Amino acid sequence: MTGMKSFVALLAAAAAVVNAVAIPPHHEVHEKRQTLHPRWTKRDRVESHKLFQMRIGLKQSNLEDGYRHLMEVSDPSSPNFANHWTSEEVIEAFRPSQQTEDEVRNWLIDSGIPAQRITHTENKAWFAFFATAAEAESLLFTEFHEYEDSVTGGVIPSCDEYHVPKHIRQHIDYITPGIKLMAPVESHREKRAAAMAELGIESRSVHLQQHGKAPPPTNPNDLSTCDQLITPACIAALYKIPPGTSKIRGSSLGIFESELQFYAQKDLDSFFTTYRKDIKNGTHPIGANIDGGMQSTKDLFQAQAGGEVALDLQLAYPIVYPQEITLYDVDDFIVQANQLDTYTFGFNTFLDALDGSYCNFSAYGETGNQPGLDQQYPDPAIGGWAGELMCGVYKPTNVISLSYGGQEADIPVSYQKRQCLEYMKLGLQGVSFLYASGDSGVSNYPPAFGGTDGPTGCLGPKGNIFNPTWPGTCPYVTSVGATKVYPGYTVNDPESAVLDPAYPPYSSGGGFSNIYPIPDYQTKALANYFEKHSPPYPYYSALSPDSSEVPDIAAIVGDSDGIYNRIGRGIPDVSANGDNDAVYCGGSASAFGGTSASAPIFSAVITRLNEARLGAGKKPIGFLNPSLYANPGMLNDITNGTNVGCNTTGFAAVPGWDPVTGLGTPNYPKMLAYYLGLP
Ligand SMILES: *[C@@H]1O[C@H](CO)[C@@H](O)[C@H](O)[C@H]1NC(C)=O
Ligand SMILES: *[C@@H]1O[C@H](CO)[C@@H](O)[C@H](O)[C@H]1NC(C)=O
Ligand SMILES: *[C@@H]1O[C@H](CO)[C@@H](O)[C@H](O)[C@H]1NC(C)=O
Ligand SMILES: *[C@@H]1O[C@H](CO)[C@@H](O)[C@H](O)[C@H]1NC(C)=O
């Protein structure tokens, strides 16, 4: 067998020399592989009759205009504030030009691909067609070989370089199959499992701090114990939020869940009974299950109720009620159970379900979901979602709260940037995304607690560089940090940045992106911070280039001994309470915390503000950041506390924006007056 195989390979090699592709003079190399990652091995030439699904990515126009378009509808000084776009308008604005479509189609037809075989994807970004290997080779003046992945054993067709007519190059992004081999992202699964097994630690949800049992107060309206336990009454008092009254159709608050976070109705009922008797037993979210997602523990034991979903629902309901909550539960059971293998959390499959055009959206050399990082559907696993990937099946709610996330350093740059553009597109359509900023200050958790980044949770060869969280660093979402009422203080005193010094310390995620530059809406706030409160640490000023790999921190930092980036987008944008929050979970009364609590609180406040705007005949606010930074006076500025990490005290909360608590916590009456005053 072995001898036979090498004989065939030899023959193929000889044939390749004889047939060396002659490139016509009006053609040029479009893409050429520079180096082959050692995990891949080039094997035999693909047999000429093998069928490929070819995709030609068309250059989309105007993606670089996305920021400007988004500001037009979210900058409060713009005459078009809140004048959001329809999804069709978004597709139209970014679709490839007619000339691009025509020229590429003509080239394909002239090269012998029958017109009826060519389809144009719904988002207009791709031509797709089936072609034999022989057809693909003659179209692209190349040779396709099988490439074997030593990690997964998978084989995919690829070439070293391919050619297209000179005049076509400007119209296409890239072609698959082509030179692209699935980005060799190291799976975290083994590393993580090994680290945890060694320490005898079970997997736990990110962003969830549990501080054990806390008996509920005898009087739910008693504000004298808010320094021990934050009840719904404490939150209402802190942010001056009056009870809700209206329930405008289609204005429910969206909450994202995954990682087996199923709620128990009994927990909700106990919570309502204890703290908010006006909310009837049985009140539950509108279910929006995505790719096999599941809502509640109905069919399980109450003890299996998830802490994250309990926290999210029980912080949001008292603020939005009688308005409803829509619970997006993302990915099938099998995938949810292993969501931390890749640290991508199901955000891509979630966005697919909200916007069908994202399923095939192509940017930064990536199209659709990434095998190896995102789950592919139908899921072949037993018990997995056997249906097709859900594309555009749910209209997004106006506000979406997500208490999940990881570190920028662990996810390929192109993957993050492509997803970030989708937040821009949904922002144009009026959707506000609020992400928890993370619970580990300026660092990641150490490996024993679920972190993936070295022994310290920090970056660089010395393990001392600050490690910002993702996706909050995307400039098109709102990142929410956490505050706390310290013992001895009341709801009438200013809150402080959260700090729970137990190991590993819990503090508000904050810092500066290594991928995204400072967005215009934030320039003034950051300049003020650096000018008046420059942190006492060396810094660097550099951003990762576009890349299909994870950010290369050593390359970004270079010779500098800096430990944080001075030219990256700052997070968080705002904050809200995130410690000692009263929650019923798994049948018992507890006090939970985390920026996981802060995100649903702030999101619920925005839902109420939208409700008021809708009631006044206006549109929802949509992308929040430009209006927040334009009027920081409507937030309670937090000026005490720090976010420890990386063997430092972290950054300090100071007057004005800071990378611990952002602009501050909600002051509902001031925010209401401001947003009702906008068009
Ligand atoms: C995405 O592309 C695939 C094949 O290329 C196609 O079958 C599917 O309909 C497309 N989906 C959308 C929403 O355009
Ligand atoms: C609501 O449910 C809780 C928890 O199961 C229970 O203790 C309480 O008695 C119920 N209230 C009503 C009015 O049924
Ligand atoms: C300021 O924050 C620290 C923790 O960083 C806390 O111990 C202290 O009580 C806070 N002071 C006030 C006035 O809340
Ligand atoms: C933390 O900093 C102290 C001094 O500031 C130093 O002695 C210690 O080695 C550092 N620890 C780590 C893990 O870097």
Side-chain angles (χ1 to χ4, degrees):
M1 275 302 274
T2 323
M4 184 72 175
K5 193 162 182 205
S6 59
F7 174 67
V8 173
L10 247 173
L11 248 190
V17 173
V18 174
N19 290 347
V21 184
I23 315 300
H26 54 283
H27 276 53
E28 274 180 358
V29 175
H30 188 60
E31 280 192 292
K32 184 182 171 78
R33 173 174 300 109
Q34 301 305 332
T35 55
L36 186 64
H37 193 276
R39 75 186 267 179
W40 294 98
T41 309
K42 185 176 178 178
R43 301 266 185 225
D44 297 350
R45 180 106 173 248
V46 179
E47 290 173 57
S48 60
H49 67 273
K50 283 270 174 70
L51 211 53
F52 294 163
Q53 179 165 37
M54 303 291 298
R55 287 163 150 268
I56 315 270
L58 304 174
K59 271 256 160 58
Q60 295 175 77
S61 40
N62 311 323
L63 271 175
E64 63 284 356
D65 292 340
Y67 182 85
R68 190 172 53 76
H69 289 315
L70 186 59
M71 290 312 115
E72 234 167 70
V73 297
S74 47
D75 180 336
S77 65
S78 160
N80 276 322
F81 179 80
N83 198 357
H84 302 126
W85 298 15
T86 63
S87 60
E88 292 75 24
E89 285 169 337
V90 172
I91 288 176
E92 273 311 304
F94 299 112
R95 76 179 282 172
S97 72
Q98 194 59 49
Q99 190 203 353
T100 289
E101 288 179 24
D102 293 347
E103 296 218 13
V104 175
R105 190 192 298 272
N106 290 340
W107 163 59
L108 293 174
I109 294 169
D110 293 348
S111 309
I113 308 294
Q116 65 272 20
R117 240 201 262 164
I118 305 167
T119 59
H120 198 183
T121 55
E122 235 170 84
N123 65 4
K124 309 299 179 202
W126 287 85
F127 283 130
F129 55 92
F130 285 98
T132 62
E135 284 175 321
E137 289 187 343
S138 85
L139 176 70
L140 301 176
F141 293 91
T142 186
E143 286 178 359
F144 279 96
H145 285 254
E146 292 180 335
Y147 283 75
E148 187 179 324
D149 177 15
S150 60
V151 176
T152 61
V155 172
I156 67 168
S158 185
C159 56
D160 297 327
E161 60 179 22
Y162 63 88
H163 306 80
V164 302
K166 281 176 197 157
H167 75 281
I168 291 295
R169 292 198 60 206
Q170 56 178 312
H171 297 302
I172 62 180
D173 253 342
Y174 68 103
I175 298 178
T176 59
I179 65 160
K180 196 169 156 69
L181 296 165
M182 194 193 80
V185 176
E186 223 179 303
S187 168
H188 296 302
R189 180 185 315 206
E190 297 78 20
K191 268 197 292 184
R192 179 185 165 81
M196 293 204 145
E198 206 169 289
L199 292 147
I201 289 167
E202 299 222 358
S203 173
R204 57 170 238 169
S205 173
V206 234
H207 292 316
L208 188 64
Q209 305 283 325
Q210 187 170 341
H211 302 295
K213 284 193 181 185
T218 41
N219 174 3
N221 294 318
D222 180 5
L223 297 179
S224 72
T225 53
C226 293
D227 62 337
Q228 309 298 319
L229 185 69
I230 296 285
T231 63
C234 300
I235 291 170
L238 276 170
Y239 307 133
K240 304 188 168 63
I241 310 170
T245 50
S246 78
K247 179 182 170 180
I248 292 175
R249 251 180 72 99
S251 188
S252 73
L253 164 63
I255 291 183
F256 170 100
E257 299 294 343
S258 190
E259 294 181 19
L260 307 181
Q261 291 292 322
F262 311 122
Y263 70 85
Q265 185 64 49
K266 262 202 185 147
D267 287 334
L268 290 182
D269 291 347
S270 300
F271 178 82
F272 299 147
T273 303
T274 308
Y275 296 110
R276 285 289 298 267
K277 286 209 169 39
D278 58 311
I279 307 181
K280 286 197 182 59
N281 275 6
T283 299
H284 64 83
I286 301 167
N289 291 332
I290 293 167
D291 300 323
M294 182 177 130
Q295 296 278 310
S296 74
T297 58
K298 246 190 319 246
D299 306 316
L300 305 168
F301 301 110
Q302 187 182 6
Q304 287 173 304
E308 180 64 63
V309 66
L311 183 67
D312 293 343
L313 291 177
Q314 294 172 36
L315 284 158
Y317 261 124
I319 300 173
V320 298
Y321 188 81
Q323 184 50 270
E324 300 197 84
I325 291 176
T326 297
L327 186 61
Y328 297 106
D329 196 83
V330 179
D331 288 324
D332 68 41
F333 198 89
I334 316 282
V335 179
Q336 291 202 22
N338 297 293
Q339 205 67 279
L340 291 185
D341 289 351
T342 57
Y343 283 84
T344 53
F345 303 99
F347 300 143
N348 269 356
T349 40
F350 176 47
L351 293 167
D352 288 336
L354 300 183
D355 174 7
S357 79
Y358 187 62
C359 285
N360 286 331
F361 175 54
S362 168
Y364 301 101
E366 307 225 343
T367 302
N369 292 339
Q370 293 306 298
L373 283 179
D374 298 313
Q375 181 60 34
Q376 310 290 299
Y377 292 106
D379 179 356
I382 295 167
W385 171 246
E388 294 293 322
L389 175 71
M390 291 170 80
C391 294
V393 296
Y394 293 112
K395 183 177 162 17
T397 53
N398 296 329
V399 181
I400 299 176
S401 175
L402 305 95
S403 291
Y404 294 74
Q407 314 303 126
E408 265 189 358
D410 295 334
I411 305 290
V413 176
S414 48
Y415 182 102
Q416 296 186 56
K417 287 196 158 180
R418 171 180 173 273
Q419 187 179 93
C420 184
L421 283 179
E422 182 60 15
Y423 298 120
M424 179 269 287
K425 290 180 167 187
L426 288 168
L428 269 171
Q429 295 168 59
V431 183
S432 317
F433 283 90
L434 294 97
Y435 272 97
S437 75
D439 295 354
S440 47
V442 293
S443 60
N444 189 359
Y445 284 120
F449 295 86
T452 44
D453 308 305
T456 58
C458 306
L459 305 173
K462 293 189 206 138
N464 62 340
I465 297 170
F466 293 179
N467 191 355
T469 47
W470 163 85
T473 43
C474 167
Y476 305 128
V477 306
T478 300
S479 168
V480 190
T483 54
K484 170 172 176 144
V485 176
Y486 279 90
Y489 295 93
T490 75
V491 291
N492 301 314
D493 299 315
E495 284 183 274
S496 301
V498 77
L499 177 62
D500 181 341
Y503 186 80
Y506 160 38
S507 64
S508 180
F512 302 90
S513 173
N514 289 312
I515 293 181
Y516 303 102
I518 301 170
D520 284 351
Y521 61 73
Q522 209 179 36
T523 312
K524 235 175 82 186
L526 266 62
N528 178 72
Y529 172 72
F530 288 132
E531 187 196 321
K532 301 203 180 113
H533 311 282
S534 193
Y537 312 120
Y539 60 86
Y540 52 94
S541 301
L543 293 168
S544 169
D546 288 348
S547 159
S548 61
E549 312 271 337
V550 302
D552 181 348
I553 291 297
I556 295 169
V557 176
D559 297 337
S560 161
D561 62 353
I563 61 169
Y564 75 95
N565 197 2
R566 192 92 161 198
I567 63 167
R569 144 131 168 92
I571 55 162
D573 297 299
V574 291
S575 50
N577 189 275
D579 206 15
N580 294 329
D581 299 300
V583 168
Y584 275 85
C585 184
S588 44
S590 307
F592 285 0
T595 51
S596 272
S598 317
I601 292 175
F602 210 96
S603 302
V605 165
I606 300 299
T607 299
R608 286 288 301 278
L609 296 170
N610 278 344
E611 192 92 344
R613 281 179 56 85
L614 290 165
K618 298 173 190 242
K619 299 266 182 56
I621 303 166
F623 177 48
L624 300 169
N625 297 1
S627 53
L628 294 170
Y629 283 89
N631 190 23
M634 64 185 169
L635 298 155
N636 305 308
D637 193 2
I638 305 299
T639 59
N640 176 47
T642 67
N643 52 359
V644 299
C646 301
N647 203 20
T648 71
T649 53
F651 297 114
V654 295
W657 180 88
D658 54 69
V660 191
T661 58
L663 298 168
T665 63
N667 179 320
Y668 187 80
K670 286 189 183 172
M671 293 181 89
L672 181 67
Y674 175 70
Y675 282 112
L676 279 180
L678 292 180

